[in-house]
Amino acid sequence: MTEVKVPTLGESITEATLGEWLKKPGEPVKADEPIASLETDKVSVEVPSPVAGVMGQQLFAVGDTVNVDAVIATIEAGDGAAAAPAPTPAAAPAPAPAASPAPAPSGDAGPAALSPSVRRAVLEHGVDPSSIQGTGRDGRITKDDVVAAASAKPTAPASAPAPAAAPAPASTGGDRAEERVRMTRVRQTIAKRLKDAQNTAALLTTFNDVDMTAVIEARTKYKDLFEKKHGVRLGFMGFFVKAACQALKDIPSVNARIDGEEIVYHDYADISVAVSAPQGLVVPVIRDADQMSVAQVEKTIGDFGKRAKDGSLKMDEMKGGTFTISNGGVFGSLMSTPIINPPQSAVLGLHRIEDRPVVRDGQVVVRPMMYLALSYDHRLIDGREAVTFLVALKNAIEDPTRLLIDL
Protein backbone atom coordinates (compact mmCIF):
# COMPACT_ATOMS: atom_id res chain seq x y z
CA MET A 1 0.00 0.00 0.00
CA THR A 2 1.28 3.47 -0.95
CA GLU A 3 -0.02 6.70 0.56
CA VAL A 4 -0.97 9.63 -1.69
CA LYS A 5 -0.22 12.99 -0.06
CA VAL A 6 -1.19 16.56 -0.92
CA PRO A 7 1.81 17.99 -2.80
CA THR A 8 3.49 21.31 -2.12
CA LEU A 9 1.11 23.89 -3.56
CA GLY A 10 3.35 26.92 -3.82
CA GLU A 11 4.74 29.70 -1.71
CA SER A 12 2.57 30.56 1.34
CA ILE A 13 -0.21 28.12 0.29
CA THR A 14 -0.80 25.58 3.05
CA GLU A 15 -4.21 24.13 2.22
CA ALA A 16 -6.62 23.43 -0.62
CA THR A 17 -10.13 22.14 -1.25
CA LEU A 18 -10.70 18.67 -2.69
CA GLY A 19 -12.46 19.49 -5.92
CA GLU A 20 -12.94 16.12 -7.59
CA TRP A 21 -11.95 12.47 -7.45
CA LEU A 22 -10.67 11.38 -10.86
CA LYS A 23 -10.48 7.66 -10.01
CA LYS A 24 -12.90 5.29 -8.32
CA PRO A 25 -11.82 2.71 -5.73
CA GLY A 26 -10.77 -0.46 -7.53
CA GLU A 27 -9.83 1.23 -10.80
CA PRO A 28 -6.33 0.69 -12.21
CA VAL A 29 -3.95 3.62 -11.86
CA LYS A 30 -0.75 4.32 -13.73
CA ALA A 31 2.26 5.99 -12.16
CA ASP A 32 1.93 9.80 -12.38
CA GLU A 33 -1.70 9.50 -13.50
CA PRO A 34 -3.96 12.15 -11.87
CA ILE A 35 -6.32 10.67 -9.28
CA ALA A 36 -7.78 13.86 -7.76
CA SER A 37 -7.97 17.59 -8.34
CA LEU A 38 -7.47 20.24 -5.68
CA GLU A 39 -8.68 23.83 -5.76
CA THR A 40 -6.28 26.41 -4.37
CA ASP A 41 -6.63 30.17 -4.06
CA LYS A 42 -5.54 30.57 -7.66
CA VAL A 43 -5.89 27.43 -9.80
CA SER A 44 -6.84 23.78 -9.81
CA VAL A 45 -4.02 21.33 -9.15
CA GLU A 46 -4.09 17.66 -10.04
CA VAL A 47 -2.65 15.09 -7.63
CA PRO A 48 -0.77 12.30 -9.43
CA SER A 49 -0.39 8.74 -8.22
CA PRO A 50 3.18 8.08 -7.04
CA VAL A 51 3.03 4.44 -8.24
CA ALA A 52 1.08 2.14 -10.53
CA GLY A 53 -1.58 -0.04 -8.93
CA VAL A 54 -5.23 0.08 -7.92
CA MET A 55 -7.11 3.00 -6.42
CA GLY A 56 -7.67 2.20 -2.77
CA GLN A 57 -9.26 4.22 0.03
CA GLN A 58 -10.34 7.82 -0.46
CA LEU A 59 -9.94 9.49 2.91
CA PHE A 60 -11.63 12.81 2.15
CA ALA A 61 -14.85 13.88 0.47
CA VAL A 62 -15.26 16.39 -2.34
CA GLY A 63 -15.39 19.85 -0.76
CA ASP A 64 -13.19 18.96 2.23
CA THR A 65 -10.23 21.18 3.13
CA VAL A 66 -6.91 19.33 3.02
CA ASN A 67 -3.52 20.49 4.23
CA VAL A 68 -0.23 20.18 2.42
CA ASP A 69 1.37 16.77 3.05
CA ALA A 70 -1.92 15.25 4.30
CA VAL A 71 -2.68 11.66 3.18
CA ILE A 72 -5.82 11.77 1.02
CA ALA A 73 -5.84 8.28 -0.52
CA THR A 74 -4.01 4.98 -0.86
CA ILE A 75 -2.83 3.02 -3.89
CA GLU A 76 -2.99 -0.76 -3.51
CA ALA A 77 -0.90 -3.33 -5.34
CA GLY A 78 -2.58 -5.01 -8.31
CA ASP A 79 -3.92 -4.27 -11.76
CA GLY A 80 -7.54 -3.49 -10.96
CA ALA A 81 -8.95 -6.65 -12.52
CA ALA A 82 -10.63 -7.79 -9.29
CA ALA A 83 -13.45 -5.92 -7.64
CA ALA A 84 -12.36 -3.32 -5.12
CA PRO A 85 -12.89 -4.13 -1.45
CA ALA A 86 -15.60 -2.25 0.39
CA PRO A 87 -14.31 1.10 1.68
CA THR A 88 -13.41 1.32 5.33
CA PRO A 89 -15.14 3.83 7.62
CA ALA A 90 -12.25 6.21 7.10
CA ALA A 91 -13.24 6.46 3.46
CA ALA A 92 -16.93 6.92 4.14
CA PRO A 93 -16.94 10.74 3.86
CA ALA A 94 -16.26 10.51 0.12
CA PRO A 95 -19.70 10.43 -1.52
CA ALA A 96 -19.85 8.81 -4.95
CA PRO A 97 -16.37 9.44 -6.40
CA ALA A 98 -15.87 11.05 -9.78
CA ALA A 99 -15.77 9.44 -13.17
CA SER A 100 -12.83 7.64 -14.73
CA PRO A 101 -10.25 9.84 -16.47
CA ALA A 102 -11.93 9.60 -19.84
CA PRO A 103 -15.68 10.20 -19.42
CA ALA A 104 -16.85 9.67 -22.94
CA PRO A 105 -20.45 10.60 -23.72
CA SER A 106 -21.52 7.01 -23.18
CA GLY A 107 -19.84 6.76 -19.76
CA ASP A 108 -21.10 7.78 -16.31
CA ALA A 109 -23.81 10.39 -16.64
CA GLY A 110 -24.82 10.78 -13.02
CA PRO A 111 -24.00 13.86 -10.95
CA ALA A 112 -21.22 12.04 -9.11
CA ALA A 113 -19.26 11.86 -12.39
CA LEU A 114 -19.02 15.63 -12.63
CA SER A 115 -17.25 18.35 -10.68
CA PRO A 116 -19.43 20.64 -8.52
CA SER A 117 -19.28 23.56 -10.96
CA VAL A 118 -20.20 21.32 -13.88
CA ARG A 119 -23.09 19.76 -11.93
CA ARG A 120 -24.47 23.23 -11.23
CA ALA A 121 -24.21 24.14 -14.92
CA VAL A 122 -25.99 20.92 -15.92
CA LEU A 123 -28.87 21.71 -13.55
CA GLU A 124 -29.07 25.35 -14.64
CA HIS A 125 -29.14 24.59 -18.36
CA GLY A 126 -31.13 21.35 -18.24
CA VAL A 127 -28.79 19.32 -20.47
CA ASP A 128 -27.99 15.61 -20.42
CA PRO A 129 -24.30 15.19 -19.48
CA SER A 130 -24.15 11.80 -21.17
CA SER A 131 -24.64 13.55 -24.53
CA ILE A 132 -21.74 15.99 -24.04
CA GLN A 133 -18.27 15.39 -25.45
CA GLY A 134 -15.80 16.66 -22.84
CA THR A 135 -12.93 18.93 -23.91
CA GLY A 136 -11.13 19.03 -20.55
CA ARG A 137 -8.11 17.02 -19.59
CA ASP A 138 -8.57 13.32 -20.30
CA GLY A 139 -11.92 14.08 -21.91
CA ARG A 140 -13.59 15.40 -18.77
CA ILE A 141 -16.63 17.64 -19.16
CA THR A 142 -16.07 21.32 -18.34
CA LYS A 143 -18.53 24.09 -17.57
CA ASP A 144 -17.90 25.59 -21.02
CA ASP A 145 -18.86 22.24 -22.59
CA VAL A 146 -22.19 22.36 -20.78
CA VAL A 147 -22.87 25.95 -21.88
CA ALA A 148 -22.01 25.06 -25.48
CA ALA A 149 -24.29 22.03 -25.38
CA ALA A 150 -27.11 24.15 -23.96
CA SER A 151 -26.69 26.71 -26.75
CA ALA A 152 -26.85 23.98 -29.37
CA LYS A 153 -29.85 22.25 -27.78
CA PRO A 154 -32.98 22.60 -29.94
CA THR A 155 -35.96 24.35 -28.42
CA ALA A 156 -38.55 21.92 -27.10
CA PRO A 157 -41.79 21.80 -29.17
CA ALA A 158 -44.81 23.55 -27.76
CA SER A 159 -46.68 20.27 -27.49
CA ALA A 160 -44.07 18.67 -25.22
CA PRO A 161 -46.01 17.04 -22.37
CA ALA A 162 -43.40 17.47 -19.62
CA PRO A 163 -44.16 21.08 -18.61
CA ALA A 164 -47.86 20.33 -18.10
CA ALA A 165 -47.19 17.33 -15.86
CA ALA A 166 -46.45 19.24 -12.63
CA PRO A 167 -49.04 21.94 -11.87
CA ALA A 168 -48.74 21.52 -8.08
CA PRO A 169 -45.97 24.11 -7.39
CA ALA A 170 -47.99 26.88 -9.05
CA SER A 171 -51.03 26.19 -6.88
CA THR A 172 -49.37 25.51 -3.53
CA GLY A 173 -46.34 27.78 -3.72
CA GLY A 174 -44.59 25.48 -1.26
CA ASP A 175 -42.27 23.61 -3.60
CA ARG A 176 -39.81 26.35 -4.53
CA ALA A 177 -36.42 24.66 -4.45
CA GLU A 178 -33.22 26.19 -3.16
CA GLU A 179 -29.71 24.83 -3.32
CA ARG A 180 -26.83 25.75 -1.05
CA VAL A 181 -23.42 25.20 -2.59
CA ARG A 182 -20.20 25.97 -0.78
CA MET A 183 -18.14 28.64 -2.51
CA THR A 184 -15.04 27.24 -4.16
CA ARG A 185 -11.72 28.39 -2.79
CA VAL A 186 -11.08 30.29 -6.02
CA ARG A 187 -14.40 32.15 -5.72
CA GLN A 188 -13.74 32.94 -2.04
CA THR A 189 -10.36 34.39 -2.93
CA ILE A 190 -11.79 36.44 -5.80
CA ALA A 191 -14.47 37.85 -3.50
CA LYS A 192 -11.96 38.76 -0.79
CA ARG A 193 -9.44 40.36 -3.16
CA LEU A 194 -12.03 42.43 -5.00
CA LYS A 195 -13.58 43.67 -1.77
CA ASP A 196 -10.13 44.50 -0.41
CA ALA A 197 -9.48 46.50 -3.58
CA GLN A 198 -12.67 48.49 -3.04
CA ASN A 199 -11.87 49.10 0.62
CA THR A 200 -8.24 50.11 0.06
CA ALA A 201 -7.92 51.85 -3.31
CA ALA A 202 -9.53 55.14 -4.34
CA LEU A 203 -11.19 53.61 -7.40
CA LEU A 204 -12.21 55.74 -10.35
CA THR A 205 -13.05 54.82 -13.96
CA THR A 206 -12.57 56.90 -17.08
CA PHE A 207 -13.98 56.01 -20.50
CA ASN A 208 -13.21 56.53 -24.16
CA ASP A 209 -14.14 54.86 -27.41
CA VAL A 210 -12.02 53.59 -30.25
CA ASP A 211 -12.65 53.16 -33.97
CA MET A 212 -11.67 49.58 -34.78
CA THR A 213 -11.69 50.07 -38.58
CA ALA A 214 -7.91 49.99 -39.09
CA VAL A 215 -7.32 46.96 -36.87
CA ILE A 216 -10.20 45.03 -38.47
CA GLU A 217 -8.87 45.82 -41.95
CA ALA A 218 -5.34 44.73 -40.97
CA ARG A 219 -6.67 41.55 -39.41
CA THR A 220 -8.80 40.73 -42.46
CA LYS A 221 -5.91 41.38 -44.83
CA TYR A 222 -3.23 39.43 -43.01
CA LYS A 223 -5.00 36.80 -40.88
CA ASP A 224 -4.41 33.90 -43.31
CA LEU A 225 -0.72 34.72 -43.82
CA PHE A 226 -0.31 35.30 -40.10
CA GLU A 227 -1.79 31.94 -39.15
CA LYS A 228 0.22 30.14 -41.85
CA LYS A 229 3.50 31.63 -40.63
CA HIS A 230 2.96 31.64 -36.87
CA GLY A 231 0.49 28.78 -36.35
CA VAL A 232 -1.93 30.94 -34.38
CA ARG A 233 -4.91 33.12 -35.27
CA LEU A 234 -4.49 36.88 -35.40
CA GLY A 235 -6.91 38.34 -32.85
CA PHE A 236 -7.50 41.77 -31.37
CA MET A 237 -5.77 41.14 -28.03
CA GLY A 238 -2.32 41.19 -29.63
CA PHE A 239 -2.91 44.75 -30.82
CA PHE A 240 -4.30 45.90 -27.48
CA VAL A 241 -1.49 44.33 -25.45
CA LYS A 242 1.16 45.99 -27.61
CA ALA A 243 -0.70 49.32 -27.57
CA ALA A 244 -1.04 49.12 -23.78
CA CYS A 245 2.68 48.38 -23.35
CA GLN A 246 3.53 51.43 -25.43
CA ALA A 247 1.14 53.66 -23.47
CA LEU A 248 2.52 52.33 -20.16
CA LYS A 249 5.98 53.56 -21.16
CA ASP A 250 4.57 57.04 -21.76
CA ILE A 251 2.53 57.07 -18.51
CA PRO A 252 4.63 55.02 -16.02
CA SER A 253 2.34 55.66 -13.05
CA VAL A 254 -0.33 53.43 -14.66
CA ASN A 255 2.23 50.61 -14.55
CA ALA A 256 3.23 51.29 -10.93
CA ARG A 257 1.97 50.20 -7.51
CA ILE A 258 1.86 51.53 -3.95
CA ASP A 259 3.92 49.71 -1.33
CA GLY A 260 3.40 51.28 2.08
CA GLU A 261 4.48 54.90 1.72
CA GLU A 262 6.48 54.24 -1.44
CA ILE A 263 5.60 54.07 -5.15
CA VAL A 264 7.18 51.18 -7.05
CA TYR A 265 7.70 51.88 -10.75
CA HIS A 266 8.35 49.01 -13.18
CA ASP A 267 10.57 49.35 -16.23
CA TYR A 268 8.92 46.26 -17.72
CA ALA A 269 5.33 45.34 -18.56
CA ASP A 270 3.96 42.07 -17.21
CA ILE A 271 0.40 42.09 -18.53
CA SER A 272 -2.26 40.09 -16.70
CA VAL A 273 -5.01 38.88 -19.03
CA ALA A 274 -8.38 37.70 -17.74
CA VAL A 275 -9.19 34.21 -19.09
CA SER A 276 -12.39 32.23 -18.62
CA ALA A 277 -11.98 28.86 -16.85
CA PRO A 278 -14.53 26.29 -15.60
CA GLN A 279 -14.01 27.38 -11.97
CA GLY A 280 -14.23 31.11 -12.77
CA LEU A 281 -12.11 33.88 -14.19
CA VAL A 282 -8.35 33.41 -13.85
CA VAL A 283 -5.66 35.97 -14.62
CA PRO A 284 -2.39 34.51 -15.94
CA VAL A 285 0.48 36.88 -16.69
CA ILE A 286 2.27 37.57 -19.98
CA ARG A 287 5.82 38.18 -18.76
CA ASP A 288 7.81 40.93 -20.52
CA ALA A 289 4.95 41.58 -22.93
CA ASP A 290 6.68 44.80 -23.99
CA GLN A 291 9.50 42.70 -25.47
CA MET A 292 7.17 40.37 -27.41
CA SER A 293 5.87 40.52 -30.95
CA VAL A 294 2.15 40.42 -31.69
CA ALA A 295 2.56 36.76 -32.71
CA GLN A 296 4.24 35.86 -29.41
CA VAL A 297 1.46 37.61 -27.48
CA GLU A 298 -1.25 35.76 -29.41
CA LYS A 299 0.48 32.41 -28.89
CA THR A 300 0.82 33.03 -25.16
CA ILE A 301 -2.83 34.05 -24.76
CA GLY A 302 -4.00 31.07 -26.82
CA ASP A 303 -1.97 28.72 -24.64
CA PHE A 304 -3.37 30.33 -21.47
CA GLY A 305 -6.93 29.91 -22.71
CA LYS A 306 -6.45 26.25 -23.58
CA ARG A 307 -4.79 25.36 -20.29
CA ALA A 308 -7.30 27.37 -18.27
CA LYS A 309 -10.04 25.10 -19.62
CA ASP A 310 -8.25 21.86 -18.81
CA GLY A 311 -7.02 23.11 -15.43
CA SER A 312 -3.30 22.87 -16.16
CA LEU A 313 -2.29 26.49 -15.52
CA LYS A 314 0.48 26.68 -12.93
CA MET A 315 0.34 28.91 -9.89
CA ASP A 316 3.57 30.66 -10.83
CA GLU A 317 1.87 31.78 -14.04
CA MET A 318 -0.78 33.62 -12.00
CA LYS A 319 1.60 35.61 -9.81
CA GLY A 320 2.75 39.15 -10.36
CA GLY A 321 1.57 41.32 -13.21
CA THR A 322 1.90 45.09 -13.42
CA PHE A 323 -1.25 45.88 -15.42
CA THR A 324 -4.42 43.95 -16.34
CA ILE A 325 -6.52 43.75 -19.50
CA SER A 326 -10.01 42.25 -19.21
CA ASN A 327 -12.04 41.61 -22.37
CA GLY A 328 -15.70 41.55 -21.40
CA GLY A 329 -16.61 42.04 -25.05
CA VAL A 330 -16.33 38.32 -25.72
CA PHE A 331 -19.39 37.89 -23.50
CA GLY A 332 -21.29 40.77 -25.12
CA SER A 333 -20.57 43.53 -22.60
CA LEU A 334 -21.12 47.06 -23.94
CA MET A 335 -19.57 48.95 -21.02
CA SER A 336 -18.29 48.18 -17.53
CA THR A 337 -16.23 49.53 -14.64
CA PRO A 338 -13.63 46.81 -13.98
CA ILE A 339 -12.00 46.49 -10.55
CA ILE A 340 -8.22 46.61 -10.25
CA ASN A 341 -6.24 43.48 -9.44
CA PRO A 342 -4.21 44.37 -6.28
CA PRO A 343 -1.44 45.39 -5.88
CA GLN A 344 -1.76 46.74 -9.42
CA SER A 345 -3.06 50.27 -9.82
CA ALA A 346 -5.04 50.06 -13.07
CA VAL A 347 -7.05 47.72 -15.28
CA LEU A 348 -8.21 48.17 -18.87
CA GLY A 349 -11.66 46.92 -19.79
CA LEU A 350 -12.42 46.04 -23.44
CA HIS A 351 -15.97 45.65 -24.70
CA ARG A 352 -17.95 44.45 -27.68
CA ILE A 353 -17.51 45.98 -31.11
CA GLU A 354 -20.66 47.38 -32.67
CA ASP A 355 -21.46 49.59 -35.63
CA ARG A 356 -22.34 53.12 -34.51
CA PRO A 357 -22.83 56.43 -36.29
CA VAL A 358 -19.89 58.81 -35.83
CA VAL A 359 -18.82 62.06 -37.46
CA ARG A 360 -15.77 61.97 -39.73
CA ASP A 361 -14.74 65.06 -41.74
CA GLY A 362 -18.15 66.63 -41.17
CA GLN A 363 -20.02 63.54 -42.40
CA VAL A 364 -22.01 61.02 -40.39
CA VAL A 365 -20.64 57.56 -41.13
CA VAL A 366 -21.03 54.12 -39.58
CA ARG A 367 -17.90 52.69 -37.98
CA PRO A 368 -17.12 49.63 -35.81
CA MET A 369 -16.68 51.20 -32.38
CA MET A 370 -15.61 49.85 -29.00
CA TYR A 371 -15.87 51.46 -25.57
CA LEU A 372 -12.71 51.41 -23.45
CA ALA A 373 -12.74 51.69 -19.65
CA LEU A 374 -9.73 52.35 -17.44
CA SER A 375 -10.30 51.82 -13.72
CA TYR A 376 -7.43 53.15 -11.63
CA ASP A 377 -6.28 53.92 -8.09
CA HIS A 378 -6.66 57.67 -7.74
CA ARG A 379 -4.17 57.67 -4.84
CA LEU A 380 -1.43 57.09 -7.40
CA ILE A 381 -2.83 58.01 -10.81
CA ASP A 382 -4.23 61.45 -11.56
CA GLY A 383 -7.17 61.94 -13.88
CA ARG A 384 -4.95 63.65 -16.44
CA GLU A 385 -2.65 60.63 -16.55
CA ALA A 386 -5.55 58.19 -16.86
CA VAL A 387 -7.11 60.12 -19.74
CA THR A 388 -3.73 60.55 -21.45
CA PHE A 389 -3.13 56.80 -21.21
CA LEU A 390 -6.49 55.98 -22.82
CA VAL A 391 -5.96 58.55 -25.59
CA ALA A 392 -2.50 57.11 -26.36
CA LEU A 393 -3.96 53.60 -26.52
CA LYS A 394 -6.86 54.81 -28.69
CA ASN A 395 -4.47 56.52 -31.12
CA ALA A 396 -2.35 53.39 -31.46
CA ILE A 397 -5.36 51.17 -32.20
CA GLU A 398 -6.86 53.61 -34.70
CA ASP A 399 -3.50 53.94 -36.46
CA PRO A 400 -1.55 50.68 -35.87
CA THR A 401 1.45 52.08 -37.75
CA ARG A 402 2.23 53.95 -34.52
CA LEU A 403 3.04 50.60 -32.93
CA LEU A 404 5.78 50.03 -35.53
CA ILE A 405 7.45 53.41 -35.24
CA ASP A 406 6.91 53.88 -31.47
CA LEU A 407 4.69 56.98 -31.55
Side-chain angles (χ1 to χ4, degrees):
M1 181 186 72
T2 302
E3 295 179 337
V4 181
K5 296 183 178 182
V6 176
T8 300
L9 300 172
E11 183 181 358
S12 76
I13 299 178
T14 60
E15 62 181 23
T17 300
L18 182 58
E20 183 181 5
W21 283 111
L22 306 179
K23 283 289 187 179
K24 295 178 181 178
E27 287 188 332
V29 178
K30 299 177 182 177
D32 296 324
E33 183 178 8
I35 64 166
S37 67
L38 304 176
E39 293 180 352
T40 71
D41 290 352
K42 296 181 179 293
V43 292
S44 293
V45 178
E46 291 187 335
V47 180
S49 172
V51 295
V54 176
M55 186 69 194
Q57 297 179 6
Q58 296 173 342
L59 305 178
F60 290 89
V62 170
D64 285 352
T65 297
V66 293
N67 296 322
V68 170
D69 210 34
V71 178
I72 60 171
T74 60
I75 303 297
E76 310 289 344
D79 58 9
T88 65
S100 59
S106 60
D108 290 342
L114 310 172
S115 68
S117 62
V118 174
R119 286 201 297 273
R120 289 196 298 273
V122 167
L123 292 173
E124 290 172 2
H125 294 281
V127 296
D128 179 6
S130 66
S131 66
I132 301 175
Q133 177 65 54
T135 61
R137 174 168 290 190
D138 297 325
R140 294 199 298 277
I141 297 174
T142 68
K143 183 178 179 181
D144 288 345
D145 295 333
V146 176
V147 174
S151 301
K153 187 174 66 172
T155 303
S159 59
S171 60
T172 65
D175 195 24
R176 298 191 302 168
E178 291 183 352
E179 180 187 11
R180 289 182 179 269
V181 180
R182 183 176 179 179
M183 292 175 68
T184 64
R185 186 170 294 272
V186 172
R187 176 53 57 188
Q188 292 178 46
T189 301
I190 291 173
K192 182 179 183 301
R193 287 174 61 84
L194 293 183
K195 189 57 184 173
D196 286 347
Q198 285 186 320
N199 293 339
T200 302
L203 289 177
L204 190 63
T205 303
T206 187
F207 300 93
N208 212 319
D209 61 2
V210 59
D211 187 340
M212 296 291 291
T213 300
V215 167
I216 290 175
E217 289 177 349
R219 184 171 179 262
T220 301
K221 183 176 181 179
Y222 296 112
K223 65 179 181 180
D224 292 337
L225 289 173
F226 186 90
E227 186 170 3
K228 183 177 180 180
K229 179 175 181 179
H230 299 291
V232 66
R233 293 179 59 191
L234 176 59
F236 296 122
M237 281 296 288
F239 290 98
F240 276 102
V241 168
K242 295 304 296 180
C245 289
Q246 185 168 290
L248 291 173
K249 290 181 180 179
D250 295 337
I251 315 295
S253 61
V254 181
N255 197 41
R257 61 184 171 87
I258 293 177
D259 184 10
E261 297 182 352
E262 297 179 332
I263 299 174
V264 179
Y265 292 95
H266 306 101
D267 62 357
Y268 55 87
D270 285 352
I271 306 298
S272 305
V273 288
V275 176
S276 180
Q279 72 271 27
L281 213 61
V282 294
V283 192
V285 180
I286 306 174
R287 310 286 180 190
D288 297 314
D290 53 318
Q291 305 298 319
M292 289 185 173
S293 66
V294 170
Q296 290 172 318
V297 170
E298 292 288 359
K299 286 180 180 179
T300 303
I301 294 175
D303 177 61
F304 284 159
K306 180 180 178 181
R307 292 193 292 121
K309 285 187 176 182
D310 65 26
S312 62
L313 279 174
K314 299 177 181 177
M315 282 174 290
D316 286 345
E317 295 172 308
M318 319 286 286
K319 296 178 180 178
T322 61
F323 180 78
T324 294
I325 300 178
S326 178
N327 186 8
V330 297
F331 304 109
S333 172
L334 177 64
M335 189 177 290
S336 67
T337 55
I339 299 178
I340 63 174
N341 181 22
Q344 298 173 22
S345 297
V347 53
L348 174 68
L350 309 182
H351 303 90
R352 77 170 184 251
I353 302 170
E354 64 175 10
D355 289 340
R356 291 201 297 269
V358 295
V359 177
R360 295 289 185 268
D361 300 323
Q363 302 293 319
V364 177
V365 295
V366 176
R367 293 292 172 85
M369 304 296 293
M370 176 196 288
Y371 286 117
L372 304 175
L374 182 74
S375 290
Y376 58 98
D377 189 346
H378 210 349
R379 298 177 302 165
L380 173 60
I381 303 168
D382 294 332
R384 176 187 61 82
E385 294 172 312
V387 172
T388 303
F389 173 88
L390 270 189
V391 170
L393 188 139
K394 170 186 170 73
N395 290 339
I397 293 297
E398 292 185 342
D399 183 7
T401 304
R402 289 171 172 266
L403 296 175
L404 299 177
I405 58 178
D406 196 18
L407 284 180

